[in-house]
Amino acid sequence: MTASLTTAQACEQLGVKPATLYAYVSRGLIRSVPGPSGTRQRRYDAGDVQALAGRQATRRDPQAGVQAAVQGSLDGLRAGGAGGVTPILDSALTRIEDGGLAYRGVDALGLADTATVEEVAALLWTGDPGTRPALPLRARLNLTRHPRADTPLEALGYALTYAGAHDPDALDTRPVTGPRQAARILTLLHATAERHARLPPAPDLPLHARLARTWGRPDGADLLRRALILLADHELNVSAFTARVTASGGASLAHCTLAALSALQGPRHGLGALHAHDLLSAALNGDARAALRDATRRLGHAPGFGHALYPHGDPRARALLDALNAQFPDHPVTRATHAVIRAHAGDTAELPNVDLALAALTLVLGRPAGDAVTLFALARATGWLAHALETRAGGQFIRPRARYVGPA
């Protein structure tokens, strides 16, 4: 044991009485040793006391404890205990609370009913949906100078890499230019999707109509608009946090978006829709219960169901599936989706999440599985850019510390 505290000092740090301190010692939470020779006093390990005090503070105020951790406080990391920490940062962008989703205090489901993608982007980037930044959104980069990709998602990565290296506007870090730069990047992504589909750009169309044209499904334009809005942001998920960390180091918005796009491509984040797409495809060609059983056996869980932040059901999934049912009630995919949901409901209380809704939407529109992730990326780019802009404005440098557990 290194530095030690007297009984009075330990009690003061913990805010407890001696009897409680002795109980902590008996439970092995705090180590103690005999005090000065010739006395009956005990002394208590200062590190143990500090760690226990930190854990107590975190239980009283979880946000304060983990915020200290993500901002680089070693004490904050120790306070998190051995179970790990969940970073929590202040943000004025998105609220997930009581089963609802809101962008800057505006209900996202209501926005999906009435707003354009451009208006939601302006709301997230500036706080004012009426600003419509930098419209018309036009990409002024020569997209023919980067390689032709095998997939749309790969093409988006090439375009962002090229923009980060060659767009002089990306070097302008004045706050007033942020929304304009974000608009350029968002339209660049849609222009890239058009190019991958071997279509000329249509910069004067609304973004959702551009995507419907790219996919050759003008009848799906409103469904795509809803999806692009409902998926625009989802607070501090893996990809959004990546965008913030990258922005905190001073990277351009293009590079922040590229980093977030890379983080999206994991099975525990953006690629979940691929598994849901496979599930629905199997249900189309056979029995819904058998398709669920096979997918669960293969993955260890039913893809497209359950969400930790929505114990009573993902509202985004509910809204998209309702819209899909309203427009395509008799489509085989719609029927297969309902069959899968009913089959799963007979075994568990888990409700559909947005991965299942994305898979159903892309299947109804006759698109391959990969386009579910492409749609996810095009939608979430709005939020990635908002997180990068907010981080820039706050001047925050996000540098967590590691709690070393290797050999001495």
Side-chain angles (χ1 to χ4, degrees), residues 20 35 47 67 86 100 105 110 188 233 247 266 326:
T20 305
Q67 187 171 15
T86 300
L188 172 66
D233 191 43

Side-chain angles (χ1 to χ4, degrees), residues 6 29 76 116 132 181 204 214 284 292 331 334 340 359 376:
T6 66
L29 298 174
T116 66
R132 299 177 65 83
Q181 291 175 353
D204 295 322
T214 299
L284 269 172
L292 262 172
H331 196 285
T334 306
V340 168
F376 198 146

